[in-house]
Amino acid sequence: MQDRAEQLGDKVVYQIYIRSFNDSNGDGIGDIRGITQRLDYLKGLGVDYLWITPFFSSPQVDNGYDVADYRTIEPMYGTMADFDELAREAGARGIGLMLDMVFNHTSTSHAWFQRALAGDPKYLAYYKFVDAAPGASAKDPGEPPTNWLSKFGGSAWEYVPSLNKWYLHLFDTSQADLNWDNPEVRRELVDVVRFWKDRGVSGFRFDVVNLISKPDHLEDDDEGDGRRFYTDGPHVHEYIRELVREGGLDGMVTVGEMSSTSIENCIRYSAPRYHELSQTFSFHHLKVDYRDGDKWALAEPNIAALRDTLASWQEGMTAGGGWNALFWSNHDQPRPNSRFGDCSSEEAWRRSSELVGTINHLMRGTPYIYQGEELGMTDPGFASIDEYRDVESLNYYQILQDEGKTPGEALRIIGRRSRDNGRTPMQWDESKHAGFTTGTPWIGIPSNHTTVNAKAEVRDPESVWSYYRRLISLRKETPVIQRGSVHFLDALSDKVIAFERTLDDAPSGPARLVVLCNFSGTRQPAIASDGLAEGSLLIANARDMHEEEGTLVLGPWVAAVFAW
């Protein structure tokens, strides 16, 4: 099989959160035709694939990640004819479509679950149902089967009085976990990917796919929330190989979202010799601002820990033949310039926005751009909980208060952590609703859309957008970026991340790069300057750097790449 670097090294993926990308009909919600209308913008940026978040039939409790029918389109997003038009028009521009498949769970509105509720034995076996204790009732269901916690708060089990059973939901109560141990379930899901392949889909992203295999024996977790029992579960590799084999996915672009995973497992998920997926998302680097590992306990980003995490995954995955999906943000994460940088002034905002882009696009793997990242979109800074829409955020606003936080403290934490930070509408222009809709947007729009928007930035050669376009071009032009090995360097400051990319016998362009990134609002020593003068500055977000007693010193939020 083709080496991952040969297959994916020059590719860039752009994530579209459909609800917030572009609204074509004025109802305030993005849709499929809205994507089609913006294809020329995406072609101009230079991306190869569009990962589109779920647009399938859904009650929208979790904004589409609660699927009620994998083969039909939620009317608010359009029709199958709209999708077919998008596939044609994207293909005409050389852009492939990647669909987001939510296969760990379905909505409780799905016909399978409804038939299970009716007591149909076939469909009861489609989900993780467990008998309640004798004597359980709606008034007193007793204890759930385990003490596992839902990712959205509360128990991971829900009692169904009519069945006298509990069902597992690792996410919202409306998202019932499928039973992948049932071969009929696996065949159903294979048919789903075949259906979309036949409609011209070029790749798939699999949501929390490393959670699909649950243990045979259910037990309480006396150390945590239960995830150690079902993460990278006992049959997960077997089941993914079967899905890839039977669905005809081997050789396609496939990415797995891997929750709380390990390098060893991700090598197995993504190395070609295992015939599973082509790349993996891991999230360890996005936990360096969690105090004591708790998402809802705020801390400043630990850049030394960030450096060590990136180094471990970059070097470890390379050594094992695995392939990383490179990203800072998505529909579940705050904006990276707000999170890891400084957006308090125009210059700091621009540098911070380009800094995170530089490191992401120069590492080994396939870079992902989340919509608006290429513009430097920021967290919205909502002033009231009433402005939030995300089920997780609303749940935790109450949970944090139940734990003793004041409403103000809870709101401050939600403001830093909410998934809605990445879900505000795409900022197309300076008009009232940022060119996203002619109606009322489903969620508020940051006030900085008057200056941070595509209309202004596409025509400005010094904009964040133009910088991202240059990063994409460099990847497509430069073999050492596509295929080179990676080695992290010992920087002279714990606020600086430094690494090199090398490629022996590079057919064109440089054979060595050194990437230096200052994650700080003050000047920082980077590395010894010996030898840097022999290289050329390939790209930088500012020329604010100088030599001082044999050391290269970087200005605030500076990213610089030297080439030999």
Side-chain angles (χ1 to χ4, degrees), residues 180-369:
W180 274 71
D181 295 329
N182 183 342
E184 289 190 64
V185 169
R186 303 199 301 273
R187 283 194 290 271
E188 294 266 23
L189 299 178
V190 164
D191 286 345
V192 169
V193 296
R194 287 175 175 169
F195 174 86
W196 288 106
K197 274 185 63 182
D198 290 345
R199 297 203 85 94
V201 171
S202 303
F204 295 95
R205 182 259 193 189
F206 294 104
D207 186 64
V208 292
V209 71
N210 68 321
L211 308 185
I212 59 175
S213 177
K214 311 306 192 292
D216 296 330
H217 173 64
L218 299 175
E219 58 183 297
D220 283 345
D221 188 351
D222 58 4
E223 298 178 12
D225 60 6
R227 71 183 63 196
R228 65 192 178 98
F229 293 126
Y230 57 74
T231 300
D232 302 316
H235 301 289
V236 64
H237 293 286
E238 169 192 341
Y239 293 160
I240 291 177
R241 280 195 304 273
E242 179 183 292
L243 176 67
V244 167
R245 181 181 67 250
E246 299 301 320
L249 304 182
D250 213 4
M252 291 183 68
V253 177
T254 53
V255 58
E257 180 192 29
M258 304 299 174
S259 172
S260 303
T261 190
S262 67
I263 294 172
E264 294 73 23
N265 273 294
C266 283
I267 289 169
R268 291 185 64 188
Y269 290 130
S270 65
R273 63 187 181 275
Y274 294 111
H275 300 278
E276 296 188 22
L277 306 175
S278 66
Q279 54 196 292
T280 58
F281 289 117
S282 62
F283 295 86
H284 297 74
H285 65 299
L286 296 179
K287 299 179 181 180
V288 298
D289 55 355
Y290 292 7
R291 178 169 283 116
D292 299 324
D294 180 357
K295 174 178 177 177
W296 306 100
L298 301 182
E300 290 304 308
N302 183 332
I303 302 304
L306 176 63
R307 182 261 182 208
D308 291 345
T309 302
L310 293 175
S312 296
W313 278 85
Q314 282 281 289
E315 295 173 2
M317 288 284 276
T318 300
W323 194 256
N324 286 297
L326 308 171
F327 74 107
W328 285 111
S329 60
N330 58 33
H331 61 285
D332 287 335
Q333 299 291 334
R335 293 287 181 176
N337 51 5
S338 294
R339 184 175 187 178
F340 294 101
D342 177 5
C343 297
S344 63
S345 70
E346 183 176 353
E347 180 64 13
W349 159 79
R350 183 190 62 77
R351 290 191 187 189
S352 296
S353 303
E354 295 172 353
L355 168 80
V356 293
T358 303
I359 192 168
N360 203 50
H361 285 258
L362 270 294
M363 288 192 294
R364 180 179 168 88
T366 298
Y368 282 65
I369 299 170

Side-chain angles (χ1 to χ4, degrees), residues 526-549:
I527 60 173
S529 56
D530 295 346
L532 286 179
E534 300 170 10
S536 59
L537 190 61
L538 184 67
I539 189 170
N541 66 349
R543 297 276 176 160
D544 184 7
M545 60 190 91
H546 67 275
E547 185 177 347
E548 188 176 299
E549 297 181 354

Side-chain angles (χ1 to χ4, degrees), residues 8-198:
L8 297 169
D10 64 344
K11 301 297 188 289
V12 176
V13 182
Y14 188 96
Q15 183 194 351
I16 289 176
Y17 187 67
I18 186 170
R19 191 177 186 90
S20 297
F21 187 65
N22 189 47
D23 171 21
S24 70
N25 61 6
D27 67 355
I29 296 171
D31 47 46
I32 294 171
R33 290 189 64 219
I35 300 172
T36 305
Q37 291 173 351
R38 301 294 186 176
L39 286 173
D40 286 340
Y41 167 86
L42 296 163
K43 176 68 175 176
L45 185 61
V47 300
D48 301 283
Y49 291 92
L50 305 182
W51 154 26
I52 307 172
T53 56
F55 48 73
F56 315 114
S57 293
S58 165
Q60 300 293 308
V61 174
D62 192 20
N63 287 351
Y65 283 86
D66 48 325
V67 178
D69 187 338
Y70 293 106
R71 292 180 176 83
T72 63
I73 293 174
E74 178 63 28
M76 74 171 71
Y77 295 134
T79 65
M80 194 63 78
D82 293 336
F83 176 81
D84 291 340
E85 178 189 28
L86 172 61
R88 286 194 306 272
E89 292 298 322
R93 292 164 175 79
I95 299 174
L97 301 183
M98 294 175 60
L99 298 196
D100 200 330
M101 310 313 294
V102 189
F103 282 174
N104 177 70
H105 46 264
T106 73
S107 168
T108 51
S109 298
H110 197 292
W112 299 341
F113 194 81
Q114 290 300 304
R115 293 180 72 171
L117 288 182
D120 187 327
K122 174 180 177 178
Y123 290 98
L124 281 167
Y126 272 39
Y127 295 91
K128 297 296 288 188
F129 277 98
V130 176
D131 289 336
S137 66
K139 198 168 186 179
D140 183 14
E143 293 297 315
T146 70
N147 65 352
W148 299 357
L149 298 178
S150 160
K151 308 285 188 183
F152 291 170
S155 174
W157 296 94
E158 183 74 5
Y159 179 66
V160 182
S162 62
L163 298 172
N164 198 31
K165 296 178 184 291
W166 300 81
Y167 69 85
L168 180 66
H169 61 91
L170 295 181
F171 295 86
D172 190 69
T173 54
S174 66
Q175 295 166 298
D177 278 50
L178 286 163
N179 177 19
W180 274 71
D181 295 329
N182 183 342
E184 289 190 64
V185 169
R186 303 199 301 273
R187 283 194 290 271
E188 294 266 23
L189 299 178
V190 164
D191 286 345
V192 169
V193 296
R194 287 175 175 169
F195 174 86
W196 288 106
K197 274 185 63 182
D198 290 345

